[in-house]
Amino acid sequence: QLIQPEHVADADADLAAQIAALASMEARFGPYPWSTITIVHAPEGAGGAGGMEYPTLYTTSDIMAAKPPPWLLQERVTGLFTTIHEFGHQYFQGLLASDEFSEPWLDEGMNTFSNGMVFDDWFGAGGWVIRVGDQAVSLTELARLSLLRGADLDPVASPADAYLAVNR
């Protein structure tokens, strides 16, 4: 694990997410075929580099920078989901050799679906990913909520270069 000094407090959480992803994905999709995996935490100012995957190496992102008191807000998404998701590409893009450019939904869609299974294995079926006070939101509920603001986005079966920029 390669991590910036200012994010060393995230190291244990990133490692726990990696272990959970490895156990869940090996159980479903077979053994991870390489002897190594390297997690790189992108440096400050390189936020666009967080969340990239390559064979045996991926970059992750910050775990929530501002940590409110746990009685107010707890979350298991920032950083942790990126770690699980980018590791998942080792299987879908790497092992199954899905063509991420022509059919990005195969890689991103199958991977994101499997990420939900990792969370279920790790935290229990329907376990919370965000808790505000005593109100809990599962990963499935969070995905449904995200559709409220993005239901009119591009068709899922579009090639990568046909997608509109999400950050406009």
Side-chain angles (χ1 to χ4, degrees), residues 98-120:
S98 58
D99 181 348
E100 189 173 10
F101 182 80
S102 298
E103 299 285 348
W105 68 274
L106 284 172
D107 177 49
E108 293 297 338
M110 296 298 291
N111 187 24
T112 300
F113 180 77
S114 75
N115 302 155
M117 292 188 288
V118 171
F119 269 82
D120 285 350

Side-chain angles (χ1 to χ4, degrees), residues 18 36 44-46 72 106 127 131 136 155 158 166:
Q18 173 58 68
T36 187
E44 291 295 322
L72 177 61
L106 284 172
R131 185 179 290 167
S158 299
V166 176

Side-chain angles (χ1 to χ4, degrees), residues 6-7 10 62-70 72-75 78:
E6 63 271 17
H7 295 291
D10 294 351
D62 298 350
I63 294 176
M64 184 188 287
K67 302 222 188 316
L72 177 61
L73 175 69
Q74 294 176 303
E75 61 90 26
T78 61

